[in-house]
Amino acid sequence: MVKWHSRRDIAAVSAALGSTALWGGLLKAQPQNGILRRVIPHGKGETLPIVGVGTSEVFDVGSGSTERAGPTAVVQALISEGGSLIDTAPSYGEAERVVGDILAATGLRPRAFVATKLEEYRPGAEESEARQSLKALRTERVDLIQLHNVRNPGQDMSGIDALKPRGICRYTGITTTFGESYGAAEAIIRRAKPDFLEIDYAIDNRDAENRVLPAAADAGTAVLVALPFGRGRLFRIALGKKLPDWAAEFDCSSWGQFFLKFILAHPAVTAVIPGTDKAQHMIDNLGAGRGRMPDAKEREHMAKYVESLG
């Protein structure tokens, strides 16, 4: 999980992939509040803002107004600035409940794209588990439910997919943030063609590029990127280093945007979901979804530059 104090320190000390047709198809939607939106391939034209927020650890807080001030401000900033995607899970402590309470209290649920997960892998019990999440989230339906951290390449998706016609969710998918499970994820994607994949990917963690992201592109599976800052590792590497002047060529004004734009420039990626409980970081992250994106040559330059910092 990102250690945000490192990001504050950086702010203080610092004043091809895919075909042309695929790239054009992903970018054809109009931005909202300047935030680029990308098409959900299985969504019949629906688009999603390319920067959202993750809630693991950072939204696992108590019920007091002081404890919830940060997450509340983050959700308000996300949506007021043109975003919508909030990713959570039952295994994130109180995060589901906190998200549900915030959306209910602010009246923002209709403007949010809420994603959660199934943890238990019990055939026949998918609906009962999902309804526990609906109760915590204080909603009758979520936008996306994913099987959390899949491990079995033969994973049956019929149980979770059955939640869609029952009106419990609109989309389904799978997640993994473990390299040893990439093979399983790829096998499921190629066989079942899920609506969404959530996976870890960062400028210094590019293993997903080898087979999983191409499989998702082939299957028309939307990709959400978790841990785009490498659990804070990238901010520690960049601490005290000046953002290169050439980052302005793709409208990048902070290290956070630098790391996110690298990911968002991959044509298979639909959105990033960095976690934060600070509104100013949410706003900065959303800046990565505006303006120009680096091309393939610039991405390689970015990766080599970050490698040189280590």
Side-chain angles (χ1 to χ4, degrees):
M1 179 53 56
V2 174
K3 302 297 185 184
W4 289 115
H5 60 83
S6 295
R7 188 170 184 166
R8 289 197 297 271
D9 290 341
I10 289 171
V13 297
S14 303
L17 295 172
S19 67
T20 301
L22 173 60
W23 181 253
L26 286 170
L27 300 186
K28 68 181 181 182
Q30 293 296 314
Q32 177 180 333
N33 286 8
I35 302 297
L36 186 66
R37 301 174 67 95
R38 288 186 178 157
V39 173
I40 300 171
H42 295 176
K44 299 180 179 179
E46 182 179 2
T47 62
L48 191 64
I50 65 174
V51 179
V53 68
T55 63
S56 177
E57 297 186 27
V58 288
F59 276 42
D60 182 16
V61 297
S63 59
S65 58
T66 300
E67 295 170 286
R68 293 192 175 189
T72 299
V74 164
V75 171
Q76 292 173 322
L78 169 73
I79 294 178
S80 68
E81 293 292 320
S84 66
L85 172 59
I86 303 172
D87 179 78
T88 191
S91 58
Y92 296 171
E94 291 296 308
E96 275 190 328
R97 195 173 308 281
V98 170
V99 169
D101 289 348
I102 290 171
L103 292 177
T106 59
L108 292 173
R109 174 63 187 96
R111 297 171 61 186
F113 185 104
V114 177
T116 192
K117 304 174 182 73
L118 297 185
E119 310 278 358
E120 298 181 5
Y121 295 90
R122 291 188 294 121
E126 294 91 352
E127 181 171 349
S128 61
E129 184 181 354
R131 290 199 180 278
Q132 292 176 24
S133 288
L134 295 186
K135 182 178 180 181
L137 288 162
R138 299 177 63 175
T139 188
E140 295 182 354
R141 181 175 70 165
V142 292
D143 300 282
L144 168 63
I145 297 180
Q146 301 176 96
L147 292 178
H148 201 185
N149 286 325
V150 293
R151 298 171 294 277
N152 178 8
Q155 177 67 50
D156 182 6
M157 297 292 291
S158 62
I160 189 171
D161 286 342
L163 300 178
K164 290 191 284 187
R166 295 173 190 170
I168 293 171
C169 62
R170 300 193 299 122
Y171 299 105
T172 57
I174 61 173
T175 87
T176 185
T177 54
F178 297 98
E180 61 266 28
S181 296
Y182 283 7
E186 180 192 356
I188 295 167
I189 291 165
R190 294 198 180 279
R191 184 187 73 253
K193 297 178 173 55
D195 299 323
F196 277 82
L197 163 71
E198 182 178 319
I199 193 165
D200 61 314
Y201 179 44
I203 195 169
D204 67 341
N205 171 25
R206 301 176 64 178
D207 290 348
E209 290 180 353
N210 296 330
R211 294 175 61 177
V212 186
L213 295 186
D218 291 344
T221 295
V223 176
L224 306 181
V225 172
L227 304 175
F229 300 137
R231 301 182 187 275
R233 179 181 63 250
L234 289 171
F235 287 120
R236 291 191 291 273
I237 291 172
L239 182 61
K241 312 293 196 309
K242 183 180 181 294
L243 188 70
D245 293 339
W246 46 264
E249 296 174 9
F250 43 86
D251 299 312
C252 176
S253 61
S254 72
W255 277 113
Q257 292 175 15
F258 187 93
F259 302 138
L260 294 178
K261 277 180 176 278
F262 174 86
I263 296 166
L264 290 168
H266 191 296
V269 171
T270 306
V272 292
I273 46 172
T276 183
D277 60 356
K278 294 177 174 56
Q280 66 268 34
H281 294 156
M282 184 73 258
I283 292 169
D284 185 64
N285 292 343
L286 287 162
R290 296 188 176 97
R292 294 165 292 182
M293 293 291 163
D295 61 24
K297 184 176 180 180
E298 288 170 326
R299 289 181 85 243
E300 290 304 319
H301 188 193
M302 294 166 76
K304 290 178 181 177
Y305 187 79
V306 169
E307 184 177 356
S308 75
L309 298 179

